[in-house]
Amino acid sequence: MLDPEGLRRAQAAGKAVTVGYGGFRYVQFLHDFENVPRGTALFEDGAAVIYGYPAIGRLLALETGLARQFAAPFWMEEKVDGFNVRICRVHGRTIALTRGGYVCPFTTDRLADLMDTAVFEAEPDLVLCAEVAGPENPYCDSAPPFIEADVRLFVFDLCRRNSPRFLSGAEKQALLRRYGLPSVASFGRFEIGDLPRIRALLRQLDAEGREGAVFKEDSHRQRRAKYYTASGQLAAIASHVHSLMDLPPEYFTGRVLGLALAAEELGLPCPGELRQRLGAAWLDGLQEAIRRQRRDGRIARRFRCRFRSPDNARELIHQLKRTAGHHLQIVPGELYQEGELWRLEFERIYPSLNGLLSDWLAGRVVLD
Amino acid sequence: MLDPEGLRRAQAAGKAVTVGYGGFRYVQFLHDFENVPRGTALFEDGAAVIYGYPAIGRLLALETGLARQFAAPFWMEEKVDGFNVRICRVHGRTIALTRGGYVCPFTTDRLADLMDTAVFEAEPDLVLCAEVAGPENPYCDSAPPFIEADVRLFVFDLCRRNSPRFLSGAEKQALLRRYGLPSVASFGRFEIGDLPRIRALLRQLDAEGREGAVFKEDSHRQRRAKYYTASGQLAAIASHVHSLMDLPPEYFTGRVLGLALAAEELGLPCPGELRQRLGAAWLDGLQEAIRRQRRDGRIARRFRCRFRSPDNARELIHQLKRTAGHHLQIVPGELYQEGELWRLEFERIYPSLNGLLSDWLAGRVVLD
């Protein structure tokens, strides 16, 4: 899939660059290029390639969607609301790469708390595709309700170095069990005819405030599709209202429409409750933003996470600043020892919403 | 303000065109040009100019906003949720022009039901700037809750032909009283120090489901600013969800943010109720759209209005089709006599939302 000639073309086109993160020099794919997904990392002059995790399409209608996407039975797994990493062993060290192909200072630091890395003694070329989720994560403003503190790790796919292909569902389950790896809930293998059971599972996930499910065709085609519960759509709105002015408009309007479809699809019984939750998803964060703006003159959200090494905490701040772009500012807060770990606090500041609200609160008019 | 040379420049730039509507040939300003607002109409070779109604800026914060916009006391009037017309006499006929400068077949037809046009016998050069509002209007998907059927007319400004200036508040009140013209509620003349009373009036308007207020400086500067209640912001969302894919994104996100600010400004007491109402503003229309899509294969809203002359009803359909643009289709329905009037029914179809929903319901995935 990735030959030296393709690599040269990708580098010449600016799609792949040589970088140095986490003590490694490697080639990072900043964008999709030909068949190589964004986030792909080449270590050791191409001798070890960790392919990027591909984008998964979102279904808005289950019956037609599953029928259209899949030609064979499929696995159904929980979609956990966190951030995507690929965990692998390089030069004898176990590291986690972010979706974009950065060595993640946070996940790499905490790996030993999140899983038993002994799996890599027996299977050094394994790549674990996993979600890291919880209220004390440095990237996402939302977390599954069943994780009360810190973060947890959930493996959802396995592949091997130098291959973009995932292991089959059966191989994956066998390895997960053999090595006792933490993983997302798997609900089993289904066919289109099982739609009532699938809907019942999604209703249960929704009632528990969980984000959704991923469906994976049990075939060589490796087709996948995801589905958000109403809770998942609502969390996506609530956790992004601070970026209201920066995200593409379709982000919000698409989620509201998705929510309306999910409510119908899952037969959610109480329209009043759904209205209430959608109103809260929009308003709670914006009302807090207005209060912050008036009180502090700036709109910020506070993040907290824990590290084994304070150096990794500092490295995370560097990385967040490097990747934040103009629509986000990172303001480091305290870094202090707490038991055996180091506690990092920092704030994300949202300049666009801040600028708009400060104009409006200063009495400027809007013409529309 | 408008001289022959300026008119030639406007025509050369395509900002003004000669048109024929309602039996008149006149020059219509399709866009703002220099100091001439969009919607301006020149009859009789420039001998009678009806200036367009200027855009009024929206305040998001009352105290700073009123202080910043106004240097003198100001009038506060109700903002009625309808469509803007200018009523005037041309060649002995009383006509209503839309905001864009079309002769409105509907309002012109029904004028004698909406007001006593005898005012133009005494004041032939008067121009009445008014809102036409009610559940049976052909343009807006929302209406003030206090109008149960048909439409009503509310004059909110007066000017004279050939002048872009409004009459002063006192002159306007005198003429409105003298000729018994229906008008928007005027709450009186205020200063910045009256903010508690202004807020109390807005809270009352909001509680009654009314859209908002317009503030007009009582000076030669003719400055104006408007303010939407929470109810007004919610109606703006609810009445436009069918155009979700066509309006600029800021339309919706701005209204949600405006709602959060209005709730704080007016000290609305019950967050639960506000959440519920915002959820309903989004969901009720979209859920109906999904049902319509599944049932009829198309998303439509039905409009009903009444005419004195069936010819004007047909003319309205022509005009709606001409001005609808690609993101709206007009499908005429029945036209039949009902008592002394003719009842017209038609549907507005929303192709963008329809296309998106039909793709999604057919099982297409979305990548985001």
Side-chain angles (χ1 to χ4, degrees), chain A residues 58 64 68 249 361 366 368, chain B residues 58 64 249 361 364 366 368:
Chain A
R58 186 156 58 91
T64 50
R68 184 176 184 139
L361 293 177
V366 180
D368 47 17
Chain B
R58 186 156 57 91
T64 50
L361 293 177
R364 198 156 293 175
V366 180
D368 48 18

Side-chain angles (χ1 to χ4, degrees), chain B residues 247-259:
Chain B
L247 285 169
E250 295 75 17
Y251 182 87
F252 292 100
T253 50
R255 306 291 154 162
V256 174
L257 203 44
L259 177 68

Side-chain angles (χ1 to χ4, degrees), chain A residues 109-179:
Chain A
D109 177 280
R110 297 292 308 280
L111 263 184
D113 300 324
L114 299 175
M115 59 172 285
D116 182 353
T117 56
V119 57
F120 292 109
E121 309 301 334
E123 305 267 359
D125 66 344
L126 211 58
V127 177
L128 280 52
C129 305
E131 202 80 356
V132 178
E136 292 173 35
N137 89 76
Y139 303 119
C140 313
D141 221 355
S142 55
F146 59 89
I147 307 180
E148 284 179 16
D150 207 359
V151 290
R152 285 168 54 191
L153 181 128
F154 305 86
V155 178
F156 53 76
D157 267 313
L158 296 177
C159 53
R160 297 199 180 273
R161 295 199 298 197
N162 305 318
S163 167
R165 292 193 61 79
F166 297 113
L167 304 192
S168 75
E171 288 173 283
K172 177 175 79 174
Q173 290 303 335
L175 284 166
L176 290 176
R177 265 195 300 273
R178 186 179 318 151
Y179 296 105

Side-chain angles (χ1 to χ4, degrees), chain B residues 30 60 62 110 127 130 200 225 229 274 312 340:
Chain B
L30 301 174
L60 279 303
L62 281 176
R110 297 292 307 280
V127 178
T229 61
L274 198 71
N312 286 328
E340 303 204 333

